[in-house]
Amino acid sequence: MNANISLTTDYAGLRLHNPFIVSSSGLTDSADKVRVLEQEGAAAVVLKSLFEEQIELSVEKELKSGQEYPEAYDYIRTYVRENQVDQYLKLIRACKMSVSIPIIASINCYTKSSWISFAKEIENAGADAIEVNIMIVNTSKEYKYGETERLYVEVLSELKKIVKIPVIIKLSHQLTSPVALLSQLSLNGADAVVLFNRSYTPDVDIKALKLTHNAGLSAQTNFYESLRWIGIGSGRVPQLNLSISGGVFKPEDAIKALLVGANTVSLCSVLYKEGTETIGKMIERLTEWMDAHGFDSIESFRGILNSSHIPDESIYERTQFMRYYSNRK
Ligand SMILES: Cc1cc2nc3c(=O)[nH]c(=O)nc-3n(C[C@H](O)[C@H](O)[C@H](O)COP(=O)(O)O)c2cc1C
């Protein structure tokens, strides 16, 4: 193996020793797990999210009679919130003491108000960056187009006023124009963007006549939607760092993502399905591939296949679509 090959990657102002990051999930909810991930080769981890709902739900459960005792309700609300946050801050501190790779804290939210002040505490606890996953399913008939995109930008702007550490935004894939949003996020100071989060999808149990949910792990087919928008986004908004997330299962997927412009590759479902030793295999295969192609650094090939090499990718997409479907018998 060529010893001159460097996998060093810059992402969201962090210097990583390779492009592989473990996504926010149950894989990153304790310092012990994070230590193993570092040993397996992860260059950074995104901790399990602190959810707004988690806080709100535990309050409701503990105080069913909240309406009758508003003062007690307020007291317990504050207590539960502080407790949840406290545990999260302990997790950040424990990870920082256990490993030397960057620790990215994660907040999963749906408003721009209640949780934003927690961000300062997260920074003070030693997190190297904050990732924000805004997860909203808009079902209201009164929804005004563009509200979700505005919320992303407002949350980012508020956070940038509060913390000095890098702020990473994790996007949902259900957006009308991811590129326009990437541009707005970049203009408003996003240090990086993750494409994409994946939400649970509903299913129907026809025996029990009940609504259910699909298992939370991705399929490899999820990869191509992320690949498309990384490729287009990296060409259109080149100054913004991007991490691919969703359906990365094979080392070749990681190589493809880097070729179309990803700065980092986020891994989650593959580690659940195939074990955390997959990180080492990804690193090995990436290094072999770089060696075979004469690339000695990630920057020497990152983005060489992004949309900046195609004059108008919307025409390209339509042409490919027409060619494929009109020839298909
Ligand atoms: C079991 C599980 C738990 C997850 N928990 C979180 C979470 O707390 N916060 C978050 O932002 N994303 C969470 N995710 C989403 C992942 O971080 C990731 O974005 C998504 O699974 C797509 O990547 P993948 O295809 O590699 O799994 C979770 C995913 C799984 C499978």
Side-chain angles (χ1 to χ4, degrees):
M1 193 71 64
N2 186 340
N4 294 325
I5 291 181
S6 163
L7 300 187
T8 307
T9 304
D10 289 318
Y11 174 68
L14 307 169
R15 180 132 265 235
L16 308 182
H17 58 78
N18 69 55
F20 296 101
I21 295 180
V22 180
S23 302
S24 178
S25 63
L27 297 165
T28 59
D29 66 359
S30 78
D32 286 343
K33 291 184 191 174
V34 169
R35 200 176 308 118
V36 172
L37 294 170
E38 181 184 49
Q39 283 160 7
E40 299 286 6
V45 297
V46 185
L47 296 181
K48 173 89 188 136
S49 295
L50 182 65
F51 282 78
E52 266 191 65
E53 286 93 334
Q54 202 177 355
I55 299 167
E56 302 302 330
L57 280 177
S58 31
V59 173
E60 303 308 332
K61 214 158 112 191
E62 295 214 2
L63 196 67
K64 290 194 183 89
S65 55
Q67 303 308 320
E68 294 159 43
Y69 304 101
E71 282 158 25
Y73 180 82
D74 281 349
Y75 172 76
I76 292 182
R77 207 179 148 82
T78 309
Y79 171 78
V80 172
R81 181 166 288 178
E82 279 172 5
N83 233 13
Q84 292 274 352
V85 172
D86 207 43
Q87 275 177 28
Y88 201 70
L89 300 177
K90 277 189 191 142
L91 173 65
I92 296 170
R93 286 191 207 103
C95 291
K96 286 301 292 176
M97 279 167 61
S98 306
V99 297
S100 57
I101 55 174
I103 297 296
I104 303 171
S106 166
I107 299 179
N108 190 308
C109 65
Y110 60 99
T111 72
K112 66 166 171 149
S113 53
S114 56
W115 59 271
I116 288 195
S117 56
F118 301 155
K120 192 72 202 164
E121 294 181 56
I122 281 173
E123 179 175 60
N124 291 341
D128 296 283
I130 296 186
E131 184 177 289
V132 185
N133 180 355
I134 303 176
M135 231 174 75
I136 314 170
V137 180
N138 289 311
T139 54
S140 161
K141 286 198 285 184
E142 279 73 48
Y143 173 77
K144 293 190 186 64
Y145 305 115
E147 269 176 12
T148 300
E149 284 80 355
R150 244 190 319 278
L151 181 65
Y152 274 110
V153 175
E154 284 172 5
V155 165
L156 168 66
S157 307
E158 289 300 312
L159 271 174
K160 291 297 285 187
K161 285 184 210 152
I162 289 175
V163 295
K164 292 191 180 64
I165 53 176
V167 178
I168 301 164
I169 303 290
K170 188 175 189 182
L171 297 185
S172 147
H173 68 282
Q174 289 157 326
L175 294 161
T176 319
S177 173
V179 174
L181 183 55
L182 289 180
S183 171
Q184 281 304 308
L185 292 172
S186 175
L187 289 170
N188 284 278
D191 295 280
V193 174
V194 180
L195 305 177
F196 292 106
N197 180 48
R198 199 176 39 74
S199 39
Y200 289 97
T201 45
D203 203 349
V204 174
D205 181 336
I206 59 168
K207 214 167 172 187
L209 304 183
K210 270 195 340 193
L211 275 179
T212 59
H213 287 276
N214 283 308
L217 299 185
S218 298
Q220 214 258 334
T221 45
N222 292 109
F223 171 69
Y224 298 101
E225 201 54 22
S226 302
L227 187 75
R228 176 210 301 266
W229 290 109
I230 291 278
I232 299 174
S234 120
R236 286 276 196 259
V237 194
Q239 69 280 13
L240 183 62
N241 285 186
L242 301 175
S243 186
I244 190 159
S245 170
V248 177
F249 278 93
K250 295 178 289 184
E252 290 73 18
D253 298 338
I255 296 168
K256 291 175 191 178
L258 294 166
L259 278 168
V260 303
N263 295 79
T264 60
V265 178
S266 302
L267 305 174
C268 183
S269 290
V270 66
L271 305 183
Y272 275 107
K273 283 188 186 168
E274 293 172 25
T276 53
E277 60 274 22
T278 310
I279 304 168
K281 291 179 192 159
M282 294 253 177
I283 294 171
E284 202 180 310
R285 176 74 185 104
L286 171 61
T287 314
E288 274 169 16
W289 177 86
M290 286 172 65
D291 196 17
H293 285 79
F295 295 124
D296 59 2
S297 69
I298 299 291
E299 278 311 305
S300 61
F301 70 94
R302 193 183 68 78
I304 60 172
L305 298 182
N306 74 15
S307 66
S308 60
H309 303 101
I310 300 169
D312 185 345
E313 63 276 2
S314 61
I315 294 172
Y316 173 78
E317 293 267 334
R318 277 194 68 80
T319 321
Q320 294 305 314
F321 184 85
M322 280 190 302
R323 185 176 299 160
Y324 179 75
Y325 286 103
S326 26
N327 291 340
R328 180 110 201 203
K329 304 289 176 222

